């Protein structure tokens, strides 16, 4: 389905639709009256200073941070109206790379990439190993990185491993929270190109 604009052109429906969003912590309002549409195929970046609400907005859309009011729809589903089954199905359709990577420290990179597969899919270990290897190579990590623990990785490698995990289920929508923070300019440029 598409929507006709005032200019008469057609555009795809929004995969994320936020209306009149209000989010705050205690007496501090982080955002008030925010409207946002993200359309299929669009790449959108939030830009702002530290503490201005970029991560809070992402976490609120994901349902990890509560909102005070407003409406959030993802793939046409009202997040507040969705039951547990609908939310679980919806969550399989997107991948998330958190700001510091949020890798499980006690798991290898390969096991971290396989975590969403174990959670949402019923695959053999052999197939999960193959898929994890493909995702690890896709993000530009060397093959042997799959057997390393997060503590054995550089900052750039952690970012790439976290991206591999975010891509584990071949998501339709990917959230990247400050994907290049903490990287040197060359590493940041390489990561931007990878994305």
């Amino acid at each position: 389905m598409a929507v006709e604009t005032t200019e008469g052109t057609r555009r795809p429906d929004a995969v994320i639709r936020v209306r009149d969003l209000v989010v705050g912590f205690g007496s501090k309002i982080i955002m008030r009256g925010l409207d946002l549409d993200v359309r299929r195929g669009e790449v959108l970046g939030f830009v702002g200073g530290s503490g201005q609400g970029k991560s809070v907005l992402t976490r609120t859309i994901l349902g990890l941070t509560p909102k005070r009011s407003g409406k959030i729809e993802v793939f046409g589903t009202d997040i507040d109206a969705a039951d547990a089954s609908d939310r679980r199905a919806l969550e399989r359709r997107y991948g998330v790379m958190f700001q510091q990577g949020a890798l499980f420290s006690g798991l290898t990179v390969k096991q971290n990439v396989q975590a969403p597969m174990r959670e949402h899919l019923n695959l053999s270990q052999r197939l999960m190993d193959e898929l994890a290897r493909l995702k690890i190579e896709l993000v530009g990590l060397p093959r042997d990185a799959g057997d390393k623990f997060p503590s054995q990785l550089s900052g750039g490698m952690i970012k790439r491993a976290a991206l591999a995990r975010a891509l584990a289920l071949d998501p339709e929508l990917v959230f990247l929270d400050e994907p290049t923070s903490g990287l040197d300019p060359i590493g940041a440029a390489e990561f931007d190109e990878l994305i």
Side-chain angles (χ1 to χ4, degrees), residues 22-32 68:
V22 178
V23 180
F25 301 103
S27 62
K28 173 100 170 136
I29 300 296
I30 306 300
M31 57 195 71
R32 180 189 318 269
R68 292 196 177 167

Side-chain angles (χ1 to χ4, degrees), residues 22-25 59-60 63-68:
V22 178
V23 180
F25 301 103
R59 293 177 60 82
T60 303
L64 300 173
T65 297
K67 60 185 174 60
R68 292 196 177 167

